[in-house]
Amino acid sequence: EVQLVESGGGLVKPGGSLRLSCAASGFTFSSYSMNWVRQAPGKGLEWVSSISSSSSYIYYADSVKGRFTISRDNAKNSLYLQMNSLRAEDTAVYYCARDLRDAIFDYWGQGTLVTVSS
Amino acid sequence: SYVLTQPPSVSVAPGQTARITCGGNNIGSKSVHWYQQKPGQAPVLVVYDDSDRPSGIPERFSGSNSGNTATLTISRVEAGDEADYYCQVWDSSSDHYVFGTGTKVTVL
């Protein structure tokens, strides 16, 4: 059974940093691209970042480019999102999602809440 | 940047058909995927590549895509279909994944 479990969310002050993790199991993690998607309270889905299976290709939404860094450790079956210079507008539930192929996000984690507030 | 526009809400009586549109410039040239999200839950893929269904998704869910509009159709709507629905594409010109604005489906 495919499982994605996010962790690392919490309350952080504006300008602070946080590192999210996503632990994957039930599939060959190293064969799939992975993504972070977020959802602000009461708002829609917003794609944040994507990383290919071997980390060769990395993409970011304009809203986080230069502040967030996506990475993965295939030996540990884990995906990460380092978030720096956090802003109030980064407050959201952050989901990790597996990319089956061609942007098909077939499995999602349950999400971790990040709150940026003073 | 590429924009996908959905109606904010669609209301439908049980047993009837709900149609949710997703508008984008020449979206017919892209592969469109649809997600269902119920309150407090993660999104679930319900249609991919315009019209294919993942295993476990009822045949009542179908999709089409042509010109500037993609459509998710839910036939014989049930109370359990009440949720938010999002379309999604990959925009190769910007190397960005794009989600639609989302549509809340209410079952009357």
Side-chain angles (χ1 to χ4, degrees):
Chain A
E1 178 194 5
V2 171
Q3 283 199 325
L4 298 170
V5 180
E6 301 93 338
S7 61
L11 175 63
V12 61
K13 290 181 168 54
S17 298
L18 212 54
R19 189 195 196 206
L20 305 184
S21 299
C22 172
S25 61
F27 66 102
T28 304
F29 180 72
S30 59
S31 296
Y32 293 87
S33 295
M34 296 294 296
N35 298 270
W36 288 100
V37 178
R38 69 183 181 183
Q39 187 170 36
K43 302 298 184 181
L45 300 174
E46 179 188 15
W47 167 75
V48 173
S49 183
S50 171
I51 186 168
S52 63
S53 57
S54 61
S55 303
S56 297
Y57 298 95
I58 289 176
Y59 306 108
Y60 297 99
D62 295 344
S63 57
V64 306
K65 197 168 187 178
R67 300 186 299 122
F68 290 10
T69 302
I70 192 171
S71 62
R72 64 190 295 162
D73 186 334
N74 287 342
K76 295 183 178 180
N77 292 337
S78 293
L79 174 72
Y80 306 102
L81 186 68
Q82 177 67 43
M83 303 186 296
N84 299 330
S85 303
L86 282 162
R87 307 165 180 166
E89 54 264 35
D90 296 318
T91 295
V93 173
Y94 285 74
Y95 298 99
C96 64
R98 188 180 84 165
D99 190 332
L100 175 64
R101 59 163 175 81
D102 301 333
I104 302 169
F105 294 179
D106 63 339
Y107 285 97
W108 298 62
Q110 281 306 301
T112 186
L113 176 63
V114 172
T115 302
V116 183
S117 175
S118 56
Chain B
S1 60
Y2 195 77
V3 176
L4 294 175
T5 302
Q6 299 179 233
S9 63
V10 167
S11 297
V12 58
Q16 299 304 302
T17 298
R19 293 179 179 85
I20 305 162
T21 58
C22 175
N25 185 35
N26 197 25
I27 195 174
S29 67
K30 302 179 184 297
S31 290
V32 180
H33 319 303
W34 291 90
Y35 301 87
Q36 175 194 69
Q37 186 181 33
K38 296 181 179 180
Q41 298 184 19
V44 172
L45 179 70
V46 293
V47 166
Y48 66 94
D49 288 347
D50 298 339
S51 59
D52 290 335
R53 277 184 316 277
S55 60
I57 300 300
E59 292 184 6
R60 301 184 298 103
F61 288 83
S62 62
S64 62
N65 184 19
S66 179
N68 293 318
T69 304
T71 302
L72 175 70
T73 301
I74 311 173
S75 304
R76 302 180 299 282
V77 166
E78 302 175 356
D81 298 330
E82 193 162 276
D84 294 325
Y85 292 83
Y86 297 89
C87 56
Q88 179 220 10
V89 301
W90 164 251
D91 177 32
S92 58
S93 65
S94 62
D95 288 335
H96 281 26
Y97 296 90
V98 181
F99 285 97
T101 50
T103 298
K104 181 176 180 59
V105 170
T106 299
V107 181
L108 301 171

